[in-house]
Amino acid sequence: MSDPRHNAGIGMTSARTRERLIQRLRDQGLANLAVLDRIRNLPRHVFVDEALASRAYEDTALPIGFGQTISQPFIVAKMTEALLLGGPLHNVLEIGTGCGYQTAVLAPLVTRLSTVERVKPLLDRAKLRLKELGIKNVRFRHGDGMQGWKAHAPYDAILCAAAPLAVPKALLEQLSPKGGRLVLPVGPEGAQELYRIVRRDDHFIRDKLGGVSFVPLVAGTA
Ligand code: SAH
């Protein structure tokens, strides 16, 4: 590929470095092989600044500009696993594209992925990266994810990568009534919980998946 970062520091992007990350995820209880394989094969260093590339395979969040971060691989794996539990996904919505890493992990595991980001330059860069990676089943939107993306609803699943104080109503409404599921962090900084909410007609069944730390979901666009 033309991006010089693909060749930067062979050591830090080596198969061994990536395998160490996968082992760490397994040690923490992640078991979905499709998800682990996807994380193993997707280069994470192309999603961060060159200066941070040497840290790309650490299991940590890293800055991507505009006060935002690329999600920690453990969290990406955990949310993707939670989303996939319950069968194959055809129509999926992601809120908070960021640098596009979570988008790129999820895209090949579903039929169609729609992603919404409020910060335009982040969205534009993510779009370019995914194109370079040959990912073609993603549609992008610059907008306020709190409103979901009604045009393509209902969704089999929605993944939200930023934390609202309360679950946005629009996201619940845009879930398929036949088992559509929403995975998202909820709560103020320092006290967030990850939830999976499954919709059966007008019933919403909530599961808590543990404490997490996300940037806030902010209304409006930038
Ligand atoms: N999963 C992303 C990380 C996302 S960080 C990755 O792997 O890079 C959370 C992202 O949510 C940020 O990019 C932030 O700008 C975005 N965001 C926050 N509020 C939003 C909203 N209301 N609508 C859409 N995106 C939002």
Side-chain angles (χ1 to χ4, degrees):
M1 284 186 228
S2 57
D3 188 332
R5 281 174 295 169
H6 287 282
N7 304 319
I10 293 299
M12 75 200 174
T13 61
S14 72
R16 192 140 49 95
T17 312
R18 292 193 201 182
E19 208 47 54
R20 226 179 287 138
L21 171 62
I22 300 304
Q23 192 51 50
R24 209 189 126 96
L25 299 179
R26 281 178 182 279
D27 292 346
Q28 291 177 95
L30 294 162
N32 184 314
L33 292 180
V35 176
L36 291 172
D37 255 6
R38 182 61 188 144
I39 290 180
R40 180 187 287 114
N41 296 327
L42 180 67
R44 189 167 181 255
H45 63 280
V46 303
F47 291 87
V48 297
D49 229 53
E50 208 168 340
L52 290 169
S54 65
R55 302 190 55 201
Y57 298 94
E58 292 175 16
D59 187 21
T60 178
L62 295 168
I64 54 171
F66 304 92
Q68 306 303 322
T69 54
I70 179 172
S71 302
Q72 183 193 356
F74 171 73
I75 285 296
V76 170
K78 188 171 167 137
M79 290 178 89
T80 310
E81 228 181 74
L83 216 63
L84 289 169
L85 208 78
L89 300 174
H90 301 295
N91 190 30
V92 179
L93 175 67
E94 177 192 47
I95 310 297
T97 320
C99 66
Y101 179 68
Q102 167 81 72
T103 322
V105 168
L106 189 55
L109 304 174
V110 306
T111 308
R112 191 66 147 130
L113 181 58
S114 305
T115 187
V116 183
E117 168 59 53
R118 71 184 290 275
V119 180
K120 180 82 163 51
L122 283 178
L123 185 78
D124 290 343
R125 264 184 250 164
K127 209 187 266 185
L128 193 67
R129 279 194 194 103
L130 265 64
K131 193 174 171 208
E132 283 172 0
L133 289 166
I135 296 170
K136 297 196 172 85
N137 61 334
V138 179
R139 47 169 98 89
F140 298 84
R141 175 185 166 108
H142 174 227
D144 178 4
M146 267 195 204
Q147 311 302 322
W149 189 349
K150 210 170 172 187
H152 305 297
Y155 297 100
D156 301 323
I158 302 178
L159 184 156
C160 181
L165 294 174
V167 182
K169 207 164 149 247
L171 300 188
L172 295 173
E173 285 169 359
Q174 291 174 28
L175 282 177
S176 157
K178 304 278 169 249
R181 59 213 94 130
L182 167 61
V183 175
L184 88 171
V186 181
E189 224 172 306
Q192 298 169 359
E193 281 275 356
L194 190 64
Y195 283 91
R196 182 179 48 219
I197 303 173
V198 180
R199 178 175 185 186
R200 301 258 172 230
D201 299 315
D202 289 333
H203 299 284
F204 295 89
I205 302 131
R206 289 184 184 222
D207 264 330
K208 278 192 190 179
L209 306 179
V212 287
S213 176
F214 277 82
V215 297
L217 188 73
V218 180
T221 56

